[in-house]
Amino acid sequence: MPDEISEIRSLLRSGDLAEIGGGRPIRHTIRPTTESLVAAFAAIYLIWGSTYLAIRYAIETLPPLLMMGMRHLAAGATLYAWTRFRGTPAPKLREWVQPALIGALLFLGGHGSLAWAEQRVPSGIAALLVATLPMWIVVLARAKGTERKFTSRALAGLAMGFVGVAVLFGPDILRHGGEVDLLGAFAVLFGTFIWAAGTIWMRSVKMPDSPVISSAMQMLGGGVALMLAATLTGETAGFHLSAVSERSWLALAYLAVFGSIIAFTAYSWLHMVASPSRVATYAYVNPVVAVLLGWLLASEPIGVFTILAMLIILVGVGLVNAGQRDEHEPETNGDAEEEEVAA
């Protein structure tokens, strides 16, 4: 009974309509407008695609871990204050534990590695390597036992994705001009793997009901972890604000406001109103946007092997997502039939 009361309260707070009686509450999400969907997808497509170049500009005169810590602390504090102002109850102390730990994993392990790596690899290459995220999530979910056996399409997609990575910085790297620094590239892949692990962990723990305040708590936890890491690695020693260029400050502000607050909130909202496969399409668009912006605005080279690797990786990600849809389709239909009977 307490669990049912808690679920009903969550539904009422979220603004969704529910039919109650004879079974579990049935959620009927209010249909979003076309304009709101277009705006949200544009945010995660274009803004997130542009953040890779913004990171490069920010770390020109800001240490990478310190910069990411400042970004997430500012964004998290702003988002938290806004949600509290709008009446969201303050989380209890014990409710901070999981979001703070997951935030540290995601933002220190994922974004911290990415920012450090962009000192060594072009922003477009970094975005292309991050595009392998859906593959790592599928592999880790399968290893954890939360996914069934891979379909043939998912297996083919995984194989293509890793072939694409090999094309990008494999044994032939010297033959295409040394475009990719191996240490930096591996740092991006490591951060992507850590982000996937944090995503899988987040699915299995109790998080706050409000996705917005949950995001703010994760950013604050990640920001604190990043600032501690920056201190321990000596980034804060001898750092002076006067040494930061105007372009780095503007890039940091863009990352905090647009990359974290606007795009991350849009991403959280889309997960409530759109299918996961539709939301996952940002993984195809972000690398293309990042590569083009790096080429147009920062004169980053686009080699033949880079284009070939991008095509292979994106096709692989598409096959993985298609394989996931195949895998869960019977389960989805079954849920729909259950809800019709309950109604």
Side-chain angles (χ1 to χ4, degrees):
M1 181 67 71
D3 290 340
E4 291 182 1
I5 293 173
S6 176
E7 188 172 358
I8 292 168
R9 286 175 177 168
S10 297
L11 287 165
L12 293 174
R13 279 199 298 269
S14 69
D16 292 344
L17 302 178
E19 296 174 10
I20 305 169
R24 68 187 183 211
I26 303 172
R27 184 178 293 237
H28 298 288
T29 304
I30 299 172
R31 183 182 294 276
T33 64
T34 302
E35 292 78 8
S36 60
L37 282 172
V38 170
F41 273 106
I44 64 172
Y45 282 177
L46 302 178
I47 294 177
W48 270 357
S50 65
T51 54
Y52 295 92
L53 183 59
I55 290 171
R56 174 179 168 176
Y57 288 153
I59 62 175
E60 285 177 343
T61 54
L62 279 166
L65 296 178
L66 180 63
M67 183 277 293
M68 279 295 186
M70 294 166 68
R71 168 191 176 179
H72 290 302
L73 280 179
T78 302
L79 204 57
Y80 185 84
W82 180 75
T83 54
R84 293 286 292 115
F85 176 76
R86 290 178 59 86
T88 303
K92 297 176 181 176
L93 185 60
R94 67 175 181 273
E95 294 178 312
W96 277 91
V97 175
Q98 297 289 1
L101 290 175
I102 291 172
L105 191 65
L106 293 176
F107 296 117
L108 173 58
H111 281 182
S113 298
L114 174 64
W116 180 87
E118 283 207 35
Q119 298 174 115
R120 310 174 69 100
V121 298
S123 60
I125 298 297
L128 182 54
L129 292 171
V130 172
T132 60
L133 176 65
M135 301 175 189
W136 293 116
I137 289 177
V138 168
V139 169
L140 290 175
R142 175 64 185 141
K144 192 174 183 293
T146 56
E147 296 286 341
R148 289 173 284 177
K149 290 183 178 179
F150 295 134
T151 64
S152 57
R153 279 205 282 189
L155 283 171
L158 288 171
M160 287 193 69
F162 294 120
V163 167
V165 172
V167 168
L168 191 63
F169 63 93
D172 292 333
I173 187 170
L174 296 178
R175 278 193 273 165
H176 55 98
E179 296 168 16
V180 182
D181 177 272
L182 285 177
L183 183 59
F186 278 119
V188 177
L189 284 177
F190 172 77
T192 305
F193 178 84
I194 293 297
W195 187 282
T199 301
I200 296 298
W201 180 18
M202 186 164 45
R203 292 176 179 176
S204 61
V205 298
K206 171 65 177 172
M207 298 290 282
D209 293 329
S210 167
V212 180
I213 203 165
S214 175
S215 299
M217 293 162 72
Q218 291 175 60
M219 289 182 197
L220 287 170
V224 170
L226 282 159
M227 296 299 283
L228 287 174
T231 302
L232 292 174
T233 56
E235 285 191 356
T236 56
F239 171 73
H240 299 287
L241 293 177
S242 58
V244 183
S245 68
E246 182 180 355
R247 183 159 78 169
S248 290
W249 281 126
L250 290 174
L252 177 59
Y254 179 83
L255 288 167
V257 175
F258 289 90
S260 293
I261 296 175
I262 295 176
F264 198 78
T265 302
Y267 178 73
S268 300
W269 178 76
L270 282 171
H271 269 293
M272 298 171 64
V273 300
S275 66
S277 58
R278 286 184 67 190
V279 179
T281 54
Y282 80 91
Y284 314 125
V285 181
N286 285 175
V288 178
V289 173
V291 168
L292 290 176
L293 286 178
W295 174 64
L296 287 171
L297 301 180
S299 300
E300 294 180 352
I302 302 180
V304 174
F305 279 80
T306 301
I307 296 174
L308 180 60
M310 179 168 62
L311 293 175
I312 294 173
I313 290 174
L314 295 185
V315 170
V317 172
L319 288 173
V320 168
N321 283 334
Q324 282 184 295
R325 286 198 298 271
D326 292 344
E327 194 173 317
H328 293 291
E329 191 172 3
E331 199 170 299
T332 303
N333 292 340
D335 287 345
E337 289 174 6
E338 282 183 24
E339 291 187 353
E340 285 180 12
V341 172

